[in-house]
């Protein structure tokens, strides 16, 4: 049992492993919201934008707190990284909205499949932006543990 606990702790210390896990959770928020909104009859692009916004808000919280271990203690301290996070996510949102539209409207792909495919590109870009541009105060937090 001790070896399993050590293995889990070793995995948790790796920010990329944490990012993949919480990125998966963020993707589930995005896909579930998109699916529900589409089933409610919301237009493709509107459903896509709303689901992305919900996922972005979820992602900021988990990435700041659990993935990159950002050391912002007050709401004021969160303002700068939050603005940088939103800026980076707006870039990937344009890529995602355009990619889904292209795959669904131009290539006649099923909407959920088009949404799923774009998630891979967005996941990689979001990690790079978050690690090197947004969450910088916790960069050394995992060392020495």
């Amino acid at each position: 049992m001790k070896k399993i606990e050590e293995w889990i702790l070793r995995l948790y210390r790796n920010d990329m492993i944490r990012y993949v896990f919480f990125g998966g959770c963020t993707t589930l928020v995005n896909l579930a919201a998109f699916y529900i909104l589409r089933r409610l009859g919301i237009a493709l692009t509107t459903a896509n934008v709303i689901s992305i916004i919900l996922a972005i808000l979820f992602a900021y919280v988990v990435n700041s707190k659990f993935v990159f271990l950002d050391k912002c203690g007050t709401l004021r301290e969160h303002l700068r990284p939050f603005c940088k996070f939103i800026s980076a996510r707006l870039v990937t949102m344009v890529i995602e909205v355009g990619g889904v539209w292209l795959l669904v409207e131009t290539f006649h792909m099923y909407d959920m499949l088009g949404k799923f495919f774009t998630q891979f590109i967005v996941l990689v870009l979001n990690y790079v932006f978050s690690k090197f541009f947004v969450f910088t105060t916790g960069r050394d937090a995992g060392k020495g543990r």
Side-chain angles (χ1 to χ4, degrees):
M1 190 65 149
K2 180 110 171 123
K3 288 203 183 260
I4 293 173
E5 185 178 317
E6 289 172 4
W7 181 74
I8 290 170
L9 284 173
R10 197 170 347 123
L11 286 176
Y12 186 76
R13 286 186 185 122
N14 184 315
D15 69 350
M16 190 171 293
I17 298 291
R18 291 191 310 265
Y19 183 80
V20 168
F21 174 77
F22 287 108
C25 294
T26 300
T27 299
L28 287 175
V29 167
N30 192 340
L31 292 172
F34 181 74
Y35 178 81
I36 291 167
L37 292 167
R38 289 294 285 154
R39 295 310 151 251
L40 291 173
I42 307 296
L44 177 71
T45 301
T46 303
N48 199 16
V49 169
I50 292 170
S51 69
I52 293 168
I53 290 169
L54 293 173
I56 287 171
L57 294 173
F58 175 82
Y60 177 77
V61 172
V62 297
N63 282 325
S64 176
K65 187 170 179 89
F66 301 114
V67 177
F68 298 106
L69 309 173
D70 219 27
K71 297 298 178 194
C72 298
T74 66
L75 188 57
R76 182 182 172 117
E77 290 173 341
H78 274 285
L79 187 59
R80 186 167 186 207
F82 182 74
C83 289
K84 288 164 58 173
F85 187 82
I86 294 300
S87 298
R89 294 296 168 117
L90 286 174
V91 170
T92 58
M93 183 170 127
V94 168
I95 292 168
E96 184 173 347
V97 170
V100 170
W101 178 85
L102 184 70
L103 292 172
V104 173
E105 299 296 332
T106 304
F107 295 106
H108 308 289
M109 187 178 284
Y110 175 64
D111 59 359
M112 286 303 293
L113 192 57
K115 179 81 170 169
F116 183 76
F117 280 139
T118 61
Q119 293 303 295
F120 291 106
I121 296 166
V122 168
L123 185 71
V124 170
L125 290 174
N126 284 337
Y127 176 78
V128 170
F129 289 152
S130 292
K131 181 164 180 86
F132 299 108
F133 175 64
V134 178
F135 299 112
T136 58
T137 63
R139 192 161 282 163
D140 297 324
K143 295 180 180 167
R145 284 188 188 176

